[in-house]
Each structure stands twice: as C-alpha cells, then as structure tokens.
Amino acid sequence: MIVRIAQYSLRKRLVFGVGSTIAILLAQQSLTMFAHGRLTFLLISASLPFITVLFGASSGALLLLTGILFGALWMDPIGQLVVPGHADQIVMLAYTVVGTFLVVAGQQLAKMAQRAGRAEAATRDAAARVLQVERDSRHRFDVALNTAGVPFFIVTPVLRDGHIAELRWDYLNEAAARLFNPAAGVIVGSSTLYVSPAGWDADLLLSRLAPLAERDGRDAFDVRVDKAEGDQWFHVVAASLSGSVVAWFGDVTARVRAEWALEEADRRKDEFLATLAHELRNPLAPIRQVAEILAQPRLTDEGRKWCVTVLRRQSAAMALLLDDLLDVSRITRGALTLRKEVVSLREVVDEAVEIARPILGAKAHELVVKPPPRPLHVEADRLRLAQVLGNLLTNAAKYTPPGGHIELATTAEDAEIVLSVADNGIGIEPDKLSAIFRMFSQVNRDHHREGGLGIGLALSKSLVELHGGRLTASSAGKDRGSCFSIHLPAEIRVVASPAPARDAPAVVSALVRRRILVVDDNVDAADALTALLELERHEVRTVYSGEEAIDILRHYDPEVVLLDLGLPGMSGLDVARRIRTMPATREVTMIAITGWGQPDDRARTAEAGFDFHFTKPVDVAQLNEAIDSAGTAA
C-alpha cells in the first residue's frame, strides 16, 4: 500500500496527505477532550512514517515538532510549554526518541518505496514493450504471409483416446483462405474433416499431416484437385512445429501440364523418328532393288523403262518428303514467305491431282473433280496452294481402302472460297479430330504402313493460315470417311488479266553439245551426273575437289560448270569466286548443285557468281534448260 501511494503524483499525494492530517488532527482533538494529553502522542507517532513517506523527512520532522509542542501544551500545567512532571518528561522524551526513529524509518521506507515503484514501473514498461513487440511481430508475420501470395496454413491435432482423430485449422493466410468455398463460413477452429479447400481430399490431408504432428519431420507431396475446368495440381511442403503442422502449398498445374506436354512431345518425337526411318526406307528399298536389276545383263528395254519410271517416282517421293521437312522448319522460324500471283484455281487443282496421281492410280481409287460453275482466279502462292491440296488428296488416298471414292470439290460463296476433299476411307474418331493438325501427330497409328510423318496436315494448316484462311476436318466416325476443307477468304478472289501472247518455244536440238565440268566430292553422285550428261551427248570432264577444278581449268575451257558447294578444303563458293576472276572462265555458266536450298544459301551462291542454284536431287528437265541457256556451242 505504501509503495503504491508513493507512486502517486504530487497533487494526488498532497490531497491524500492533507486529508490524512486533518483526520489525524480531528482524531487527536477528540482524544484530548476525553483523555489525558499524552495519549495523543500514540496517534501522532503512528502517522509519522506515513507522513514521512508521503512528503519526505522534513514533513515528518515538522509533524514530530508539532507533536512535541502539542503534548507540552496539553500536559500539566495545561496551556504552557513547561513540562515539570517527571513522568510527563519521560513520556515526552520517549515520544521524541521514538518519533525521531519513526521519521528516519519513514525516510528509508520512502526510499525503498521509490525503488520498488521504479522497479514495478520498469516491469510494466518491459511487459508493455514485450507485448508490443509480439503484436508487431504478429503483424509483420501476417503482412509477410499475406503479401507473399503463396497459400500457408497451420493445423493442430485433436486427440481422442490418445490418437489423432482430426486436425484443426489454427491459421490461414489470405491466399489459403481464398481456396475455400465461401459457404464454408468460419474456417479457423474448424476440423479439416469438415472444412477443407474446395475439391481437396480431407482424408489425404489427415493421413499426410497427422504423422508430422506426432513427431518432428518434413514432407512434400502433390495434391490433385478435380474441377469443372479441369484437373488442378498443388505441391504441398509441410513440417512439424511444436506439436502442430505448418505447410506451404503452391499451384503447380502449369508445371505438371508442361511435364505432360514434354512427355507427349518426347513420345511423338520417338514416333516421328521411327516413322521417318520407315518413310526413308520405303523409297530406298525399290531404288536399291532397281539398281540391282539394272545391273542384270539380260535386262530388256521394257524392263529398263520400268526401272527408270520407278527411280523417278521414288526419288520424287523422297524429294517431297524433304521439302515438307524444310517447309516445316521455315514456318516455325518464320522464314517462309509466299510468292503470290494471280492464279486459276483450276490450275491449282490440276497440279494437286498430278501430285497425288501415282498413289491414286496405285490403289485404283475413283477420283471425282467438281469444278466451280465459273472460272475462279485468286491471288495466292500457286505452288504452296497446290502443295496443300496435293497433301489432302494424298492423305485421302493413303487412308482409303483400294478402289475407294474420293471427291474434290470447289465452291465459291460470298464470305469464302472452299476447296474440299472427301473420301469414304477409314474416317477419324470424334475425340481425335482436334489432334490431327498437331506436328508429328498420327491419330491412326495402326496405319503407319500407309506412310506419313505426321507433318503434312500441320504444314498444310500453316500454309493455309499464311493465306489468311483456315483448314478444317470433319468425319462421321471410324470407317465412315472424312472430309478436309480449305477455307480461303473471299477477298483474295480477283479478276484475271488477259494472258499476254507468247512466242512458240524454241526447239533445242538434241544434238547441241556443251563442254561441261562436273565438280563433286561424292564420287557416285559426280559419276552418275556425268553418265547422264554424256547420254545427252555433252562433252564432260569430272573432278572431285575444288583444287582439282581450278587446276583443270588451266587447260580445259568449259561452257558450263556444275559445282557442288560442300567440297572439302576449298568450298564450292570459293571455287566459284576464283572462276569469276580468271579471264578465260569469267563468262562461263555456273550451276550450283547442292543439298542446301534455304534463301540465305541462294543469296550466297548469287553473290559468289553462280547463274543457277539447284538442290539435290536435281530435276533433269530444269537442269537441261539451264545448260541449254549457256553460250554458243563449239
């Protein structure tokens, strides 16, 4: 009580002291009216330490002196300060000694009260600071967890019969709370068996988190959540914390789907490589067999013609395969550009039919072509459009049993122009229609024997989209045929200009001979090309390196040089530059024969001085035209 009073403010202590003094004086006055004056010393001496604690030693000493004077006045003789009685003198002396002791004791007590008060105040301040630090820490904890955006929660086990029967939500940050169904109401304090994130398996949470509440440890696992918009995946990382369990969990749906996509891409890549090997072996097998047949001494002219036909057809098939692969590469790199011109759709259809004619004839299909009622002309890349239509016809032929029916129809509407290819073949199951335009996709894997790398439709779709159109597919189901349609915007339709008059092409005599130099490090390719040119009655020299080519030009004057680019040592481009600097060969016709056919490759050959650029395998008719364009024959 004294310690608490000592901590009062000065004003409060003054009021309390004045009141106490008045009460003491009134009580003392009452005692003096009914008793001998010396009895009043008891009351005054009792208040001395109290007054000293309240107001200090000086106040206590003043009260002691007041008491002495008061006692002297009320002792015999009353009203005088003289105390003649021996007994009264003893009382006065005892009062003075005891009072002095009480004042000193009150002063010490005041000091102790002040120290105790300071200690208590310091304790209260420390407790307040600890409480504030705890509040600040909790606030920072909440802010950090809520702004992190990563769901976080704390669960505490609920025991029944010594075993964990359920878990209770003790804390959730805002990101975790958003995953709960709003109808769940109060979450914190609820059981995980009855309240859990929407779509989560409560039993899974209990089985994976309960062991961490029983012993220290960590765990990480994935949770699959079924939702209307599709599966969603969360990765949970949990750890023990003083009998509770803390856990972070993040949405890893994008990662899981990416992993699935990579696995699917890897699988499709393996299938593509297997199919590519199959596709390459298909033409290589007859080519090799024909080579053996041509080596037979009893081969008839009719057999030789058949061999030539097979070689041309199979080499053309390989060339188309490589062209498709290169076109896919160009499209994915954005390097493919269209060469648009005014073209008749009838010409496009005719070229597409020519592309697919070998397989159509081999499988004895009936092809019905339905042209539009009136001629249609569009501004498009004739070669690419014919390539797309040819791919659709080839696919229809491949996946239609022998003797099937294929129909190619062209219609012109106000909004678009449609070229459709319909067949009565194996058809496409409805759930696989969306996959047929993906790269390297083959929805009928049981028909690998029919050929195809799974790039034809993907390439065709990209080429049609470059024209501003779209490619669609439909099917009534398995074994009920399918229909592929090219939809071109009506804006590309144009009115054809009158064709300019052309002179009749000059007929080049088969006896015109050229002096030709063939340069190729592939001996078989160089010798085969030499044999072909010699059959055309040309004079041919053959070398197998760039250095040999430069050396032979010192004593041989060709009109045409057929030059491979990928030569060891001195490259074909270096040889071409040297030829253009030599006075004797400055005007010679140079033709690049190479496997490189990209636009930048053609730009490099043009810069090096080549007149023509042909990719392997070379079209013989085009090569002959290039050779015929050389200077005057010798």
Side-chain angles (χ1 to χ4, degrees):
M1 179 67 179
I2 292 175
V3 173
R4 181 62 53 85
I5 293 173
Q7 296 179 45
Y8 288 168
S9 64
L10 178 62
R11 180 179 178 183
K12 195 170 183 179
R13 282 188 286 127
L14 182 61
V15 171
F16 191 84
V18 170
S20 301
T21 302
I22 292 173
I24 291 171
L25 292 176
L26 290 176
Q28 179 176 291
Q29 187 63 32
S30 299
L31 286 173
T32 57
M33 293 174 63
F34 301 101
H36 192 274
R38 67 169 62 93
L39 295 177
T40 63
F41 287 100
L42 297 175
L43 185 60
I44 294 175
S45 62
S47 64
L48 284 175
F50 189 67
I51 294 301
T52 303
V53 170
L54 284 176
F55 303 107
S58 57
S59 299
L62 180 61
L63 181 60
L64 176 62
L65 179 61
T66 303
I68 294 172
L69 294 175
F70 183 82
L73 287 173
W74 284 93
M75 288 181 179
D76 294 330
I78 296 174
Q80 298 181 11
L81 294 175
V82 179
V83 183
H86 181 69
D88 289 339
Q89 291 175 351
I90 293 174
V91 171
M92 184 65 70
L93 178 62
Y95 171 78
T96 304
V97 172
V98 173
T100 302
F101 175 77
L102 290 177
V103 169
V104 173
Q107 185 179 11
Q108 296 301 318
L109 186 61
K111 293 179 179 179
M112 292 176 60
Q114 290 174 358
R115 287 196 294 270
R118 287 195 294 269
E120 183 179 355
T123 302
R124 285 199 306 271
D125 291 343
R129 286 196 297 271
V130 170
L131 181 61
Q132 187 61 40
V133 168
E134 183 180 352
R135 289 173 179 171
D136 292 343
S137 298
R138 181 60 182 264
H139 177 68
R140 287 195 295 268
F141 177 76
D142 289 338
V143 171
L145 290 178
N146 289 329
T147 57
V150 179
F152 173 82
F153 64 82
I154 300 175
V155 291
T156 300
V158 177
L159 300 179
R160 292 196 187 96
D161 300 328
H163 300 285
I164 297 178
E166 58 185 271
L167 298 172
R168 183 183 67 245
W169 299 106
D170 271 0
Y171 178 84
L172 297 107
N173 67 351
E174 292 179 1
R178 284 195 294 268
L179 297 176
F180 285 77
N181 192 323
V186 177
I187 301 174
V188 174
S190 301
S191 170
T192 59
L193 294 178
Y194 306 107
V195 179
S196 59
W200 284 50
D201 186 350
D203 293 334
L204 174 64
L205 281 177
L206 180 61
S207 63
R208 297 304 294 259
L209 299 182
L212 296 177
E214 296 177 322
R215 61 182 183 274
D216 290 341
R218 293 170 56 89
D219 191 13
F221 55 94
D222 289 337
V223 176
R224 183 176 65 86
V225 179
D226 294 325
K227 291 196 172 183
E229 59 272 19
D231 289 346
Q232 190 173 11
W233 289 84
F234 291 90
H235 183 67
V236 182
V237 179
S240 305
L241 179 65
S242 302
S244 297
V245 180
V246 297
W248 297 90
F249 58 100
D251 188 343
V252 294
T253 305
R255 187 204 71 191
V256 172
R257 290 177 179 172
E259 289 174 353
W260 288 351
L262 286 175
E263 292 175 1
E264 175 68 11
D266 189 61
R267 182 189 61 77
R268 287 166 54 195
K269 179 261 297 179
D270 291 339
E271 290 182 356
F272 165 71
L273 292 176
T275 308
L276 176 60
H278 169 79
E279 288 294 296
L280 290 175
R281 289 190 184 101
N282 272 345
L284 284 176
I287 288 174
R288 186 169 184 176
Q289 292 162 3
V290 165
E292 296 295 332
I293 294 173
L294 288 172
Q296 299 299 320
R298 293 192 301 274
L299 183 63
T300 63
D301 289 341
E302 184 178 352
R304 185 176 291 105
K305 290 180 180 178
W306 175 84
C307 289
V308 170
T309 301
V310 171
L311 288 174
R312 285 176 175 170
R313 183 166 58 246
Q314 297 302 327
S315 62
M318 291 188 69
L320 286 175
L321 173 64
L322 294 175
D323 284 343
D324 278 353
L325 289 171
L326 291 174
D327 284 343
V328 168
S329 174
R330 294 189 191 108
I331 288 176
T332 55
R333 290 185 292 107
L336 182 64
T337 57
L338 300 180
R339 296 179 177 86
K340 292 185 177 181
E341 59 181 335
V342 177
V343 59
S344 168
L345 280 185
R346 182 66 192 185
E347 294 179 4
V348 172
V349 170
D350 290 342
E351 290 188 24
V353 171
E354 284 301 318
I355 292 173
R357 189 176 300 282
I359 189 171
L360 290 169
K363 300 188 72 171
H365 290 315
E366 177 191 11
L367 175 64
V368 177
V369 179
K370 293 183 177 180
R374 292 188 302 170
L376 279 176
H377 291 81
V378 295
E379 186 177 13
D381 187 318
R382 178 183 57 79
L383 179 62
R384 299 302 182 187
L385 208 52
Q387 181 182 357
V388 172
L389 197 55
N391 278 340
L392 298 184
L393 284 171
T394 301
N395 274 353
K398 285 179 180 179
Y399 296 106
T400 300
H405 177 83
I406 299 174
E407 182 177 294
L408 194 165
T410 305
T411 59
E413 302 174 357
D414 292 339
E416 58 186 8
I417 300 168
V418 182
L419 295 91
S420 59
V421 176
D423 61 66
N424 61 347
I426 63 173
I428 306 171
E429 296 176 10
D431 59 334
K432 296 180 179 179
L433 275 174
S434 60
I436 60 177
F437 294 115
R438 290 204 300 261
M439 190 65 67
F440 310 136
S441 174
Q442 291 178 318
V443 296
N444 293 295
R445 296 188 179 92
D446 293 337
H447 293 80
H448 275 179
R449 62 184 182 274
E450 301 294 348
L453 295 177
I455 62 175
L457 289 177
L459 171 62
S460 298
K461 180 175 181 292
S462 298
L463 289 174
V464 172
E465 289 174 350
L466 285 175
H467 282 85
R470 55 194 174 92
L471 181 60
T472 61
S474 61
S475 176
K478 188 176 180 180
D479 298 324
R480 301 184 66 180
S482 56
C483 179
F484 288 83
S485 300
I486 302 170
H487 301 261
L488 298 173
E491 290 77 12
I492 71 170
R493 183 174 179 176
V494 295
V495 177
S497 302
R502 297 180 179 177
D503 296 332
V507 178
V508 180
S509 171
L511 297 178
V512 174
R513 301 176 62 194
R514 304 292 186 196
R515 294 187 303 278
I516 301 175
L517 175 63
V518 175
V519 187
D520 196 331
D521 64 307
N522 187 321
V523 176
D524 287 341
D527 292 347
L529 184 56
T530 298
L532 176 65
L533 294 172
E534 287 177 343
L535 288 174
E536 298 289 338
R537 308 290 298 278
H538 296 297
E539 177 188 323
V540 186
R541 297 286 187 275
T542 307
V543 295
Y544 307 107
S545 69
E547 290 80 5
E548 289 182 277
I550 298 300
D551 186 61
I552 197 174
L553 287 175
R554 292 190 175 93
H555 56 80
Y556 182 66
D557 183 23
E559 297 172 273
V560 180
V561 177
L562 303 181
L563 185 57
D564 180 35
L565 297 184
L567 297 173
M570 181 181 289
S571 71
L573 294 174
D574 294 334
V575 173
R577 295 187 184 98
R578 289 285 299 275
I579 290 175
R580 288 304 183 207
T581 61
M582 299 169 64
T585 57
R586 185 177 293 128
E587 302 302 326
V588 69
T589 299
M590 283 198 300
I591 302 174
I593 306 292
T594 179
W596 303 99
Q598 301 297 322
D600 52 348
D601 299 319
R602 296 180 182 274
R604 282 195 294 269
T605 54
E607 185 271 335
F610 281 94
D611 298 293
F612 298 93
H613 183 120
F614 292 127
T615 54
K616 298 177 181 179
V618 181
D619 184 278
V620 176
Q622 293 181 347
L623 179 61
N624 285 334
E625 289 182 5
I627 292 173
D628 290 340
S629 69
T632 305

